[in-house]
Amino acid sequence: MAPVPARLVPVLGAVPDGEGTAFAVFSGADLVELALLDDDGHEARVPMRASGHGSWHCHRPEVRPGQRYGYRAHGAWDPRHGHRFDAAHLLVDPYSLAVDCVDGLAWSVVVDPGFDWGEDERPLVAWSDTVIYEAHVRGFTKRHPAVPEPLRGTYAGLAHPDSIGHLLDLGATTLELLPVQQFASEPWLRERGRANYWGYNPLAFSAPHGDYSSAGTRGQQVGEFQAMVRDLHRAGLEVVLDVVYNHTAEGGDDGPTLSWRGLDNAAYYRLRSDGSYDDVTGCGNSLDLRHQRSLAMVTDSLRTWVQDFHVDGFRFDLAPTLARGPAGFDAAGSFLAVVAQDPVLSGVKLIAEPWDLGPGGYRLGGFPPPWAEWNDRFRDTVRDTWLGRHGRSHGGVRDLAYRLSGSSDVFEPSGRGPLASVNFVTAHDGFTLHDLVSYDRKHNGANGEDGRDGSDHEHSWNCGVEGPTDDVDVLALRRRMMRNLLATLLLSTGVPMLTAGDETGRTQLGNNNAYCLDDETTWVAWDHAGWSRDLYDWTRTLLTLRREHSVLRPDTFFHGRPAPSDGIPDGVDDLAWFGPDGQQLTADDWHDHEQRVLGMYVSGSPRSLLILLNTGDEDTTVRLPDGHWGRSYVALLDTADERPTPGSEHEGGSDLVLRAHSVAVLAVSA
């Protein structure tokens, strides 16, 4: 573990100083007024003074933590030239640490970020040991019977001993939270009686979302969030935030004016020559990190989360937007360069969602060290391997081998290793693990968009029946396919990410875009049937196997050459691929689209492993490699079994029946 860096105080925001509160905001307006709201709902306005370079300042001796405030900016309304000043709009402070909503208006709150962290230290989980668990603060505990009802769906609920106990028992090391930056629901969602549940619509980049607080929204949400992080750290768990800096809740030309647009629209947003928004996010606007003030705001916010809230890293939504220069994505651009040299930010986990919707926006493999990236090629290949051949073409085992061994074809060209690949089969966006094997098509009627939303290409297979069924054979096949997908994910080289609830087979009833459903559709269920408990045991057992066998967690790519480690027989390669005949694959085998069986032999000390995958519909007899590869093999796991059960010992060169749709793991006895 390591201490959190000392805080660097930004020059902007609301800062209590013991003699009142100093306020500072950036704006290109002609005049900025500080608006103060008293407990009776009366607003007082105080003119601020300009101090050069677009900064406005004032000090109010009567203001203490808990005070609600905002800004009103006076200036020209000239959208064609990028200006949208209008003092009728109350504006949230871009540097707010807390937001409180009163009568439909969002007010910033003065907060003293001081918190008794005790001896809190970052767990500093090595990338090679990292197991990411993606969860929603509200959804994870909203139905948890052991969490007191007032705490369900809150930061305090997530820090409850039973919540933490589940993560530890499962084997997760790093909790990745869906957006907790204060967010707002889009007006068109509210008109339909829906809300933005996922939270990808930020209103204040540095403020913990108030609705997840059990203690209050006049700054109490800050302390509750900090206490949650402290308690997770005490358990050895890291906290990574899914952050949204690519766009804001102000939307497009017809969206609401809430903060940045009213303070300095031309500085904060990417604009076209006619003043309209250059939207590369699909959300109506895009932040412009080419501008010094926007870049400073984002990096100051990131430092706040690390220094004031002690988080351990970030997953950046639509990350290419942040690195877009005048000519498009720039791997050597300002944002990536600033983060790389920053003494605070360069030391935490940095994960990119490496695509946006703009020209040239798909950038998988294009981020520089030390970034990791969500690997959607892993997701799609693994889904297609087990599910996609039904009604579609199958590409054999060549692409699967790349994914199993760390995706060197994607990440090695940029000088990074396999730990740059965050492997996942499911995420919050898309089908759950259960639904991936239960539905051929999306069922998004509850979203109110007539099925237009959500992906039409999930690479899924319903195993013969669409949705719920009592057919025992279909249900058995679905359970086996879930085990296969989990085994492939957790035995692959790279950094695995699980989605909350997949370990027990959570369903969204075929909804693959439940972003607007804050109900039992999206909340994790805790009343588990017998098969759900079996699936949980499988997930935990696979993670234990991964933890106990370092050969599954290399930090460099395999070379396919003799392994140099002690205890490995001479002539044994660090990685070898076998067909069902017990012989290493030939060039023809790699290009055989009908190949359904793949053996992955990974050398390690004290034991090497042989992972056998049969993606076909028929049982297959497999010859185990012999000679220097191994005199005998001990069966550790077989996904054809309903429960994880060790098997028997087999001699090298003997035959093993590998059942249809299954993964078998064997330990090599030299």
Side-chain angles (χ1 to χ4, degrees), residues 567-621:
I568 299 175
D570 292 338
V572 174
D573 296 340
D574 61 355
L575 173 69
W577 304 99
F578 289 88
D581 58 359
Q583 301 299 310
Q584 290 183 260
L585 294 183
T586 66
D588 288 342
D589 293 329
W590 283 121
H591 293 89
D592 180 2
H593 286 193
E594 300 305 315
Q595 186 83 17
R596 294 289 184 268
V597 174
L598 178 65
M600 178 182 181
Y601 187 108
V602 285
S603 301
S605 179
R607 306 189 86 175
S608 300
L609 295 177
L610 177 64
I611 302 169
L612 300 172
L613 303 94
N614 181 3
T615 70
D617 300 322
E618 304 292 336
D619 293 355
T620 301
T621 299

Side-chain angles (χ1 to χ4, degrees), residues 435-457:
D435 292 357
L436 197 60
V437 302
S438 304
Y439 295 89
D440 276 356
R441 60 186 185 276
K442 64 188 180 185
H443 296 261
N444 295 0
N447 297 355
E449 299 186 38
D450 298 323
R452 295 186 300 272
D453 65 304
S455 173
D456 293 315
H457 306 286

Side-chain angles (χ1 to χ4, degrees), residues 313-532:
F314 306 95
R315 177 266 188 190
F316 291 82
D317 182 63
L318 303 181
T321 301
L322 308 180
R324 282 186 175 272
F329 177 83
D330 183 0
S334 298
F335 174 71
L336 296 178
V338 167
V339 170
Q341 60 79 44
D342 188 281
V344 174
L345 302 180
S346 60
V348 301
K349 284 184 163 72
L350 301 170
I351 304 169
E353 181 186 39
W355 49 81
D356 66 15
L357 300 184
Y362 185 74
R363 309 304 305 188
L364 179 66
F367 282 74
W371 286 75
E373 301 176 34
W374 271 26
N375 188 349
D376 66 324
R377 285 191 62 181
F378 181 95
R379 175 198 65 196
D380 293 346
T381 297
V382 172
R383 289 185 180 191
D384 274 341
T385 294
W386 292 108
L387 310 172
R389 67 188 179 283
H390 298 275
R392 288 179 287 273
S393 63
H394 186 272
V397 296
R398 188 168 181 266
D399 202 32
L400 174 62
Y402 271 120
R403 306 308 142 230
L404 288 169
S405 58
S407 295
S408 59
D409 58 330
V410 175
F411 297 104
E412 197 166 32
S414 63
R416 289 176 295 166
L419 299 179
S421 178
V422 174
N423 299 332
F424 65 107
V425 175
T426 67
H428 66 276
D429 185 4
F431 278 153
T432 65
L433 181 69
H434 172 278
D435 292 357
L436 197 60
V437 302
S438 304
Y439 295 89
D440 276 356
R441 60 186 185 276
K442 64 188 180 185
H443 296 261
N444 295 0
N447 297 355
E449 299 186 38
D450 298 323
R452 295 186 300 272
D453 65 304
S455 173
D456 293 315
H457 306 286
E458 286 283 5
H459 307 267
S460 62
W461 180 41
N462 65 19
C463 295
V465 177
E466 185 74 0
T469 181
D470 294 327
D471 188 311
V472 294
D473 292 332
V474 170
L475 292 173
L477 179 57
R478 288 176 177 178
R479 293 194 296 270
R480 185 180 295 193
M481 285 301 190
M482 284 190 278
R483 297 192 292 269
N484 291 333
L485 291 165
L486 284 171
T488 309
L489 170 65
L490 299 179
L491 299 175
S492 291
T493 301
V495 179
M497 184 184 80
L498 290 163
T499 304
D502 275 355
E503 69 272 26
T504 52
R506 183 178 74 87
T507 179
Q508 292 183 168
L509 300 177
N511 193 317
N512 74 345
N513 190 39
Y515 74 103
C516 60
L517 301 181
D518 186 4
D519 56 28
E520 293 188 355
T521 306
T522 52
W523 302 339
V524 173
W526 297 93
D527 50 343
H528 301 143
W531 71 266
S532 296

Side-chain angles (χ1 to χ4, degrees), residues 89-367:
H89 295 292
L90 177 73
L91 306 176
V92 170
D93 184 352
Y95 280 69
S96 297
L97 295 181
V99 172
D100 186 34
C101 295
V102 182
D103 297 330
L105 293 178
W107 292 85
S108 299
V109 180
V110 177
V111 174
D112 182 352
F115 177 76
D116 183 8
W117 286 98
E119 298 181 357
D120 180 65
E121 294 182 332
R122 291 170 51 196
L124 287 181
V125 178
W127 274 112
S128 59
D129 299 332
T130 298
V131 176
I132 298 172
Y133 187 91
E134 186 199 41
H136 188 284
V137 170
R138 181 170 171 82
F140 188 68
T141 64
K142 188 60 180 174
R143 301 173 66 184
H144 201 309
V147 175
E149 190 163 355
L151 303 185
R152 294 176 190 171
T154 70
Y155 303 123
L158 193 54
H160 188 274
D162 282 87
S163 301
I164 293 176
H166 177 83
L167 298 172
L168 294 176
D169 182 68
L170 182 65
T173 69
T174 303
L175 182 61
E176 182 178 304
L177 297 178
L178 266 68
V180 298
Q181 296 165 304
Q182 182 72 40
F183 60 87
S185 293
E186 295 86 342
W188 51 269
L189 267 181
R190 296 196 299 269
E191 291 171 1
R192 294 209 313 260
R194 297 287 188 267
N196 190 317
Y197 171 72
W198 284 350
Y200 291 92
N201 203 44
L203 176 61
F205 290 129
S206 302
H209 189 62
D211 287 346
Y212 299 157
S213 171
S214 65
T217 56
R218 295 282 292 273
Q220 296 93 335
Q221 61 265 55
V222 172
E224 186 170 332
F225 184 93
Q226 292 167 318
M228 176 196 73
V229 173
R230 179 194 60 198
D231 292 347
L232 288 164
H233 280 180
R234 286 175 177 171
L237 293 165
E238 291 183 313
V239 179
V240 168
L241 303 186
D242 190 338
V243 288
V244 185
Y245 292 105
N246 56 78
H247 76 282
T248 77
E250 293 185 313
D253 291 314
D254 58 350
T257 297
L258 305 171
S259 177
W260 307 270
R261 175 177 290 163
L263 287 169
D264 203 316
N265 185 65
Y268 284 119
Y269 292 116
R270 298 178 64 94
L271 302 177
R272 300 187 180 96
S273 58
D274 63 356
S276 63
Y277 291 102
D278 182 13
D279 177 18
V280 298
T281 67
C283 300
N285 64 61
S286 305
L287 276 188
D288 189 356
L289 269 66
R290 296 170 298 181
H291 194 285
Q292 178 183 354
R293 287 293 191 171
S294 290
L295 178 61
M297 176 188 64
V298 170
T299 52
D300 284 345
S301 172
L302 291 168
R303 291 188 202 96
T304 294
W305 286 110
V306 175
Q307 296 172 314
D308 288 348
F309 296 103
H310 288 204
V311 304
D312 303 286
F314 306 95
R315 177 266 188 190
F316 291 82
D317 182 63
L318 303 181
T321 301
L322 308 180
R324 282 186 175 272
F329 177 83
D330 183 0
S334 298
F335 174 71
L336 296 178
V338 167
V339 170
Q341 60 79 44
D342 188 281
V344 174
L345 302 180
S346 60
V348 301
K349 284 184 163 72
L350 301 170
I351 304 169
E353 181 186 39
W355 49 81
D356 66 15
L357 300 184
Y362 185 74
R363 309 304 305 188
L364 179 66
F367 282 74

